[in-house]
Amino acid sequence: MSGQKSRGSWRSQIGFIFAASGSAIGLGNIVFFGSNAYRFGGGAFYLPYLTALFVIGIPLMIMEFGLGSITGRSFPEAMHRLAGKSGQFVGWWALLNAAFIAMYYVTILAWVTGMMIGSFGELFATSAFSLPAFGLSSEQLPSRAHAFFFDMLSSWQTVAFVFIVWGLNIYLVRRGAETIERAVRVFVPLMWAFMIVLIIRGVTLPNGFHGILKLFTPDFDGISNFQVWQGAFSQMFFSLTLGFGVMTTYASYLPKEADQINNSLMVSFMNCGFEFIAGLAIFSLLFVFSLTPTASTLSMTFFVVPAGIAQLPALVQAFGFLFFLLLLLAGLSSSISLVEGFVSALLDKFRMNRARAVLYVSGACILGSLACALPKVIDAGLNSNGTLGLTLVDLIDHWAFSYGLIIVGLAECILIGWVFGVSKLREAINAHSKFRLGVWFDWLIKLVIPILILLPLVSNGFAELSGLYGSSYQLGEWSWLPVSVFSVWIIGTLTLAAVFTFKGHYLQG
Ligand code: TRP
């Protein structure tokens, strides 16, 4: 088994758990969760959320992990072994879709880096501020964080930060599992430690505990809305890194006899536990300083939370720095997982040299990240579409996040459930696990999950037809952008997935 060795392997079980939970815990848990929960009905979000966790998330993670340890291959090849060419196509499509997400994800991390550096500079300073690029004076700006953030966005600095963050990614995956394991052994414990510091700060503020009630007060109007369900499912896929083709690759570096049910439970609970305490920290902070959470995930990250931190009684700069450093570490341990997932798939199929594969993947993604960092102001209003980059982020996010991930999940269930026969996979997983999956698992994969995903997908897909997402933006001369982003995404990912599938062939299977 020389192939197995050269693919790389984790040095320890805990190394794998750190890597997988590092992939899972990211921007999704720290800020997207809070704003999605708020947007989709506060406490009422928990019903769709817990359904998404127990009925979809954990079973799919068992499946994606099982697929990796049983085949010992990355996602496209693993899917190929189970379901032939169509499986392989879905595998590549998942990775390409994830690459689209990685493009803007890294741009967000580049902005995070700028905010982190700014924490000890202008971000929390008390001097006067304005925003000349947008023609706005301080009275027209809701907060100093707004001024700092949009000022950064309308300069070329972020382009440099994009290169820095991609440079870190390349450095951390240069020798695959080996270097990733070394990084996550430091990053993941630090992330927990920083989060605990922030939550202690949040809940010990006078009245801090009341903010938490806000996160739990249910607004039941949302429950009957399909958008809320799709929102919860997408959030769960994103947060658990499912439908990215990543978990299968990470699991393929484990010995075949790994207990994948146990692993899935550990990683999912760590992920959701982290998300939960992040919600406590953020909502207590917002409540105390009477800030309203916003439905826009980016506004939460870059204005609302910093505006809260700015009002802390002491150590403002240190807490600001800590918050953004936490985001950066959590984000890096996620983005490296996508790079590794893609690189590993290229190595399995095209047998190229690792350094070259890393450069291809990151090179292509850097171009996308740079596009999302373009400083051009296209709408002087301080909306999410204030600059070209922000508009791109929003549009790509809409397609790849809200549709891409769950479509991959659906395709996985259908191919493995019906084409391969999920009972075979279930038996292979059971053979190495203390806990045994019953026949219920087969029906979950074959029927329940596909129906749960399809209902909101179809209903929202139809609503989408009545006006392509983003067409209601005030884009002026940029009004062609929404349609173009949609076309590039759909045509680009489908064509490339076909190219990867039909070019070259696997040695066996
Ligand atoms: N799970 C991550 C989060 O919650 C998201 C993520 C994982 C991701 N891997 C990725 C995003 C790769 C982009 C690229 O934030």
Side-chain angles (χ1 to χ4, degrees):
M1 288 301 281
S2 66
Q4 191 66 20
K5 208 161 186 64
S6 61
R7 292 184 81 253
S9 58
W10 305 112
R11 272 188 299 144
S12 61
Q13 162 78 7
I14 189 75
F16 163 74
I17 295 291
F18 275 156
S21 65
S23 169
I25 300 173
L27 299 177
N29 305 62
I30 303 170
V31 279
F32 297 1
F33 170 71
S35 61
N36 278 332
Y38 177 78
R39 163 163 56 163
F40 296 125
F45 185 64
Y46 284 91
L47 182 63
Y49 177 83
L50 292 174
T51 309
L53 172 63
F54 288 103
V55 183
I56 302 181
I58 295 176
L60 279 186
M61 190 175 285
I62 294 176
M63 191 165 89
E64 291 200 359
F65 275 167
L67 205 56
S69 71
I70 284 151
T71 60
R73 287 296 180 270
S74 58
F75 197 50
E77 185 169 357
M79 288 293 287
H80 183 98
R81 291 192 180 188
L82 266 59
K85 279 246 153 55
S86 49
Q88 193 193 146
F89 178 82
V90 169
W92 288 111
W93 195 68
L95 286 172
L96 288 159
N97 216 17
F100 262 84
I101 296 181
M103 291 175 185
Y104 74 76
Y105 198 82
V106 169
T107 306
I108 297 177
L109 291 179
W111 296 335
V112 163
T113 309
M115 299 292 275
M116 184 178 86
I117 296 172
S119 294
F120 283 109
E122 287 290 302
L123 176 55
F124 298 114
T126 44
S127 50
F129 56 86
S130 63
L131 198 46
F134 287 72
L136 297 173
S137 64
S138 63
E139 303 84 63
Q140 294 162 298
L141 290 162
S143 79
R144 188 176 184 95
H146 279 83
F148 183 88
F149 180 71
F150 280 108
D151 191 37
M152 175 170 82
L153 249 66
S154 49
S155 79
W156 289 97
Q157 288 175 44
T158 43
V159 168
F161 295 139
V162 164
F163 281 108
I164 293 175
V165 178
W166 271 113
L168 287 170
N169 272 290
I170 294 171
Y171 180 75
L172 296 174
V173 298
R174 70 194 183 283
R175 281 203 291 277
E178 184 193 332
T179 42
I180 293 175
E181 184 166 351
R182 233 183 283 155
V184 293
R185 272 171 179 267
V186 179
F187 286 13
V188 174
L190 275 182
M191 278 147 55
W192 283 94
F194 291 173
M195 195 70 234
I196 290 169
V197 171
L198 289 175
I199 180 177
I200 292 177
R201 177 62 287 191
V203 297
T204 54
L205 286 166
N207 271 330
F209 213 74
H210 291 276
I212 293 168
L213 293 177
K214 243 188 163 149
L215 185 59
F216 295 111
T217 311
D219 160 13
F220 285 105
D221 295 350
I223 293 275
S224 55
N225 185 342
F226 273 136
Q227 260 179 337
V228 175
W229 288 83
Q230 187 174 353
F233 296 166
S234 298
Q235 167 69 25
M236 190 55 68
F237 272 88
F238 186 82
S239 184
L240 291 176
T241 322
L242 297 172
F244 277 87
V246 162
M247 289 309 187
T248 297
T249 302
Y250 270 12
S252 76
Y253 300 149
L254 279 173
K256 275 198 181 343
E257 53 290 347
D259 180 343
Q260 295 303 10
I261 300 180
N262 189 34
N263 286 342
S264 307
L265 290 172
M266 257 202 288
V267 173
S268 326
F269 287 139
M270 275 179 26
N271 180 69
C272 294
F274 197 95
E275 197 151 89
F276 185 75
I277 65 168
L280 301 186
I282 286 172
F283 276 75
S284 53
L285 189 73
L286 299 189
F287 179 83
V288 171
F289 300 118
S290 33
L291 294 160
T292 323
T294 52
S296 150
T297 49
L298 292 177
S299 317
M300 279 284 266
T301 320
F302 294 110
F303 324 130
V304 185
V305 174
I309 292 175
Q311 296 178 57
L312 286 174
L315 298 174
V316 166
Q317 298 180 324
F319 277 112
F321 182 81
L322 198 71
F323 174 68
F324 288 110
L325 178 59
L326 165 64
L327 286 177
L328 183 62
L329 293 182
L332 273 175
S333 57
S334 299
S335 60
I336 54 176
S337 70
L338 179 269
V339 181
E340 181 61 20
F342 214 126
V343 165
S344 165
L346 291 177
L347 298 183
D348 280 346
K349 184 157 197 185
F350 302 106
R351 282 154 227 291
M352 54 173 81
N353 133 322
R354 167 171 273 278
R356 175 177 292 192
V358 171
L359 287 182
Y360 283 162
V361 173
S362 34
C365 290
I366 286 174
L367 296 179
S369 298
L370 287 174
C372 293
L374 286 179
K376 175 119 184 75
V377 174
I378 59 175
D379 176 358
L382 288 179
N383 302 318
S384 58
N385 51 342
T387 66
L388 182 54
L390 278 172
T391 310
L392 276 174
V393 171
D394 188 56
L395 293 169
I396 303 174
D397 177 71
H398 179 74
W399 297 110
F401 172 89
S402 302
Y403 288 87
L405 298 179
I406 61 173
I407 294 175
V408 171
L410 179 65
E412 262 178 78
C413 287
I414 291 173
L415 288 172
I416 296 179
W418 297 95
V419 178
F420 175 69
V422 59
S423 53
K424 284 182 264 174
L425 183 67
R426 172 169 58 87
E427 275 155 25
I429 294 171
N430 276 345
H432 305 296
S433 169
K434 281 194 272 332
F435 181 85
R436 299 185 148 263
L437 301 169
V439 219
W440 55 267
F441 184 79
D442 300 3
W443 291 106
L444 217 52
I445 300 290
K446 284 164 87 157
L447 221 56
V448 179
I449 301 179
I451 291 175
L452 278 177
I453 294 181
L454 259 169
L455 283 178
L457 197 63
V458 170
S459 133
N460 294 332
F462 273 116
E464 197 93 49
L465 290 179
S466 59
L468 192 66
Y469 181 78
S471 48
S472 58
Y473 273 178
Q474 307 278 295
L475 290 174
E477 53 173 325
W478 294 88
S479 56
W480 48 271
L481 205 61
V483 182
S484 314
V485 169
F486 173 72
S487 318
V488 169
W489 168 68
I490 195 81
I491 298 171
T493 52
L494 289 175
T495 316
L496 280 172
V499 170
F500 283 128
T501 305
F502 291 105
K503 206 169 170 295
H505 48 80
Y506 291 118
L507 292 183
Q508 335 108 287

